[in-house]
Amino acid sequence: MKKLLLFSSVSLIIIGGCKKKDDSIILSPDKGISEIVFRAADNDVLLQDVTASITGNIISADFPQLTPLNYLVPTISFKGKSITPAGKVPQNFENPVTYTVLAEDGSTEKFTISANRPAANLTKAIVAKWKIIKDSVTNDNYVYPGGGYITPGVYWGATVDFYDFIENGDLSVHENGSDFNTSYQLLADTTIYIPDLTVHGPTRIQTLNSKYLTLFWNNTSSNGNGGKYHRTLYLSK
């Protein structure tokens, strides 16, 4: 007798369907600023890096006397999706600047950054015999009011070169083999009136501390050609 083998057939039922959306993903609400540094490499007006202090949402950066605050580049470390304004972008810090950090979940938080400078006693600080380090001139079609074109370039100071600001308001200069004596008057807006140098435009103090003095001139041609001239004089004790 033949043995019958009965095989049961098993139906495999595959139930297909749409994948359910994972509602367990939670977007982070984290948002904050952990560090702000104004690096000398990004800011020509700084001799060394300036790191801001952070207290909650209030951030404060202390700069040397007379540091121009109208064009500073901050490097910002933050937690969140984005920050506005962006870091590494120049800002005018003459007044506090507000930064907004956006978190992954769409929430935001504001942080206020203030730049501070100690008041400078210009009258006392500038009196010294300053050595000339470098005198740098750029000229983009600038023409003197009476005619004449300023040759651009860089003069590196010799050991005998100096600007000597004397306490009584006299100024003696020896530069590139030439001498002249004139006067100077400190003005309230960190400019110096030097009669013999008015042809270059207003004389502005860009840096003044116990070691360095930087003077800056910026002028535009009066003949309407739009020419511009810049001169930066770097001095040290």
Side-chain angles (χ1 to χ4, degrees), residues 55-112:
T55 304
N57 295 60
I58 304 300
I59 301 172
S60 179
D62 295 327
F63 293 90
Q65 290 178 348
L66 302 179
T67 301
L69 303 178
N70 62 333
Y71 192 87
L72 292 172
V73 180
T75 297
I76 305 175
S77 300
F78 69 95
K79 180 180 289 187
K81 184 178 181 179
S82 64
I83 186 169
T84 306
K88 301 286 276 189
V89 174
Q91 297 292 333
N92 183 352
F93 284 93
E94 290 182 342
N95 294 303
V97 177
T98 298
Y99 283 79
T100 302
V101 178
L102 173 68
E104 294 289 344
D105 68 354
S107 60
T108 61
E109 189 158 357
K110 296 182 182 297
F111 299 81
T112 301

Side-chain angles (χ1 to χ4, degrees), residues 39-56:
R39 303 193 187 283
D42 300 326
N43 297 275
D44 293 338
V45 297
L46 298 180
L47 298 175
Q48 59 186 17
D49 295 353
V50 172
T51 300
S53 60
I54 301 175
T55 304

Side-chain angles (χ1 to χ4, degrees), residues 212-234:
Y212 296 103
L213 168 62
T214 305
L215 302 180
F216 179 72
W217 293 266
N218 178 33
N219 216 345
T220 302
S221 292
S222 58
N223 63 3
N225 74 342
K228 295 186 180 298
Y229 157 79
H230 303 277
R231 177 185 176 193
T232 308
L233 176 64
Y234 301 88

